Amino acid sequence: MLKFFLFSLFLIPLSYFGCWWLVHILMFLLMFLFYFNFVSSYYFCNLSYFMGCDVISYALILLSFLVCTLMILASESIYCYGYYFKMFIMFIMFLFIMLYLSFSSNSLILFYLFFESSLIPTLFLIFGWGYQPERLQAGMYFLFYTLFSSLPMLLSILYFYSFFCSLSFSLIFNFDYSYFIFYFCMIFSFLVKIPMFFVHVWLPKAHVEAPVSGSMILAGVLLKLGGYGLLRVFCMLMLSGISYNFFFVSVSLVGGLFISLVCLRQMDIKSLIAYSSVIHMGLVLAGLMTFNYWGVYGSLVLMIAHGLCSSGLFCLANIVYERLGSRSLFVIKGLLNFMPTLSLWWFLLSSYNMAAPPSLNLMGEIMLFNSLVSWDFINTYVFLIMSFFSAAYTLYMYSYSQHGMMFSGSFSFCNGYLREYLLLFLHWFPLNLLIFISNFFFI
């Protein structure tokens, strides 16, 4: 594990010398090498001094590799216009290293440290390369929501350490007391990061103001840090979880229902995709909280699927924004006439967003459906209505953007670049490929 970390670390000076495409190619190479370092164990293996990897962290590190590499591919306009691109790629590499260390750290306190450090480069990406002046407000929302929630977690970790004198994930075991305060402080930071309904306000703001790379990494990997953290800390919160989890499952499902209705009245396309992320991650949270096998692996599958699909939709929204200078559905309608070849990608990624077969999203949602229905039968009705509205807002987004009269300001037909087709293909193709190894998750 340490060799991949050192490889990534030495890409930072390379990025400072402005080797944009070289860093990009080496990231692809590194991802390819890590792919063959395959892990299928539920226990930590590939151990180095403070790092290790099990099947969950392996999947999420691979997702981080892919999304960070595609961020560089999606942000070529920053390189072409020379918009502080050396600094930009340096922040991307720093963010990737923090994510890699978060997912591979063996100790709870190290995980906390790297989990918080990933905020800094994301904040600079929003502040430095965002679009509107409101990005300062969005960045502050993002920073204070996440920092405010993580202080109780630090205190809980220190409290736990004072009892057991170890914070290694391999040695953590059930903390046999049903303390609500300890339980809530430990998971609150992750609930904000996922984000759960009631603490989700920072996410749409941050997405709308962030550049395409910021949106990709936020939707693709940073939200998954919350789910990964919950998976790691629940082994010490079993008794408390059995007592109190019903509240968070209810909030996630009912909140997903409300936000589906919010999606149906969005006019900003990026905002719509951001709210749909809140719904999908609400399902992930509900699945994790059920504490059963279907729920844990269903949430892992949906995290990977949502990371790729949502990131691809943000890329499409950015391609349109670069051509038309707007994200409003009133202005960008009629894209079928304006960008006919990109309509296929809109269709493919929109259909996968609403979990159409043969996507990985469908597999994740089926597993979560089994998990939630076995936990309580009444969840069936909520899940069915959520699935219906999921299809409704995705169709609304697709039909509103692709059909209708073209805005008179967009006066000429325009196609995508080869780079953009490659970018969208690399988001879409793994979603088909991964379902062929779905038996791996059912073993």
Side-chain angles (χ1 to χ4, degrees), residues 171-203:
L171 301 175
I172 281 176
F173 54 89
N174 194 358
F175 192 49
D176 280 326
Y177 306 104
S178 192
Y179 286 151
F180 179 74
I181 295 173
F182 175 76
Y183 163 80
F184 184 72
C185 290
M186 197 54 121
I187 68 169
F188 184 53
S189 177
F190 301 128
L191 297 180
V192 172
K193 196 75 169 181
I194 273 187
M196 186 182 76
F197 185 65
F198 291 136
V199 283
H200 69 281
V201 183
W202 63 270
L203 184 73

Side-chain angles (χ1 to χ4, degrees), residues 256-317:
L257 211 56
F258 285 138
I259 292 185
S260 302
L261 297 171
V262 171
C263 281
L264 284 168
R265 54 181 294 278
Q266 290 301 313
M267 281 298 116
D268 186 324
I269 198 154
K270 256 184 130 176
S271 185
L272 200 157
I273 302 165
Y275 275 114
S276 78
S277 290
V278 178
I279 298 163
H280 284 115
M281 293 311 289
L283 280 178
V284 166
L285 177 62
L288 280 175
M289 291 281 184
T290 56
F291 279 173
N292 58 28
Y293 189 91
W294 284 97
V296 169
Y297 279 90
S299 56
L300 175 64
V301 171
L302 193 60
M303 280 197 284
I304 296 164
H306 169 262
L308 291 167
C309 183
S310 194
S311 175
L313 283 169
F314 279 117
C315 288
L316 276 169

Side-chain angles (χ1 to χ4, degrees), residues 1-73:
M1 296 300 288
L2 213 51
K3 56 184 178 283
F4 296 108
F5 165 62
L6 291 172
F7 195 131
S8 328
L9 199 62
F10 285 117
L11 287 179
I12 290 186
L14 203 60
S15 64
Y16 198 71
F17 290 122
C19 308
W20 179 278
W21 293 117
L22 182 60
V23 171
H24 183 232
I25 291 162
L26 288 173
M27 278 289 283
F28 262 125
L29 175 68
L30 193 55
M31 182 179 75
F32 190 66
L33 293 173
F34 187 78
Y35 176 74
F36 288 109
N37 206 27
F38 186 66
V39 172
S40 60
S41 159
Y42 305 124
Y43 304 104
F44 275 92
C45 49
N46 288 348
L47 290 165
S48 61
Y49 183 57
F50 65 100
M51 298 159 81
C53 189
D54 67 348
V55 63
I56 297 165
S57 36
Y58 172 80
L60 290 169
I61 290 170
L62 206 54
L63 180 69
S64 308
F65 268 116
L66 185 59
V67 172
C68 288
T69 314
L70 295 179
M71 278 164 70
I72 301 172
L73 193 59

Side-chain angles (χ1 to χ4, degrees), residues 383-438:
F383 202 96
L384 286 173
I385 299 167
M386 274 177 76
S387 298
F388 171 74
F389 278 121
S390 171
Y393 66 71
T394 309
L395 284 170
Y396 158 74
M397 175 181 75
Y398 177 76
S399 56
Y400 234 78
S401 60
Q402 303 306 307
H403 299 286
M405 284 288 289
M406 248 171 78
F407 175 59
S408 53
S410 50
F411 50 85
S412 66
F413 156 91
C414 159
N415 262 331
Y417 302 122
L418 186 62
R419 170 184 63 85
E420 289 165 347
Y421 294 126
L422 176 66
L423 173 66
L424 295 167
F425 177 77
L426 289 173
H427 278 107
W428 172 80
F429 186 63
L431 288 171
N432 297 285
L433 201 63
L434 288 169
I435 201 158
F436 292 122
I437 56 160
S438 56

Side-chain angles (χ1 to χ4, degrees), residues 5-177:
F5 165 62
L6 291 172
F7 195 131
S8 328
L9 199 62
F10 285 117
L11 287 179
I12 290 186
L14 203 60
S15 64
Y16 198 71
F17 290 122
C19 308
W20 179 278
W21 293 117
L22 182 60
V23 171
H24 183 232
I25 291 162
L26 288 173
M27 278 289 283
F28 262 125
L29 175 68
L30 193 55
M31 182 179 75
F32 190 66
L33 293 173
F34 187 78
Y35 176 74
F36 288 109
N37 206 27
F38 186 66
V39 172
S40 60
S41 159
Y42 305 124
Y43 304 104
F44 275 92
C45 49
N46 288 348
L47 290 165
S48 61
Y49 183 57
F50 65 100
M51 298 159 81
C53 189
D54 67 348
V55 63
I56 297 165
S57 36
Y58 172 80
L60 290 169
I61 290 170
L62 206 54
L63 180 69
S64 308
F65 268 116
L66 185 59
V67 172
C68 288
T69 314
L70 295 179
M71 278 164 70
I72 301 172
L73 193 59
S75 307
E76 202 205 7
S77 57
I78 290 172
Y79 178 64
C80 291
Y81 297 129
Y83 189 45
Y84 299 102
F85 69 91
K86 294 177 186 176
M87 196 76 81
F88 177 79
I89 201 163
M90 195 174 76
F91 277 126
I92 287 183
M93 286 313 303
F94 179 58
L95 178 55
F96 168 72
I97 288 169
M98 287 303 120
L99 289 169
Y100 179 75
L101 291 171
S102 300
F103 289 130
S104 60
S105 56
N106 262 337
S107 161
L108 193 55
I109 194 75
L110 283 175
F111 170 70
Y112 173 82
L113 183 70
F114 299 129
F115 173 79
E116 291 308 314
S117 305
S118 64
L119 293 179
I120 302 160
T122 317
L123 189 71
F124 278 114
L125 285 176
I126 294 173
F127 275 0
W129 290 269
Y131 297 124
Q132 280 82 22
E134 286 84 18
R135 65 179 183 266
L136 301 175
Q137 185 197 8
M140 284 301 165
Y141 258 70
F142 169 64
L143 187 68
F144 282 104
Y145 259 87
T146 39
L147 279 182
F148 169 74
S149 65
S150 55
L151 181 63
M153 184 191 162
L154 179 61
L155 297 175
S156 311
I157 291 172
L158 297 175
Y159 175 72
F160 185 80
Y161 183 71
S162 69
F163 272 84
F164 295 110
C165 302
S166 171
L167 289 172
S168 170
F169 286 134
S170 315
L171 301 175
I172 281 176
F173 54 89
N174 194 358
F175 192 49
D176 280 326
Y177 306 104

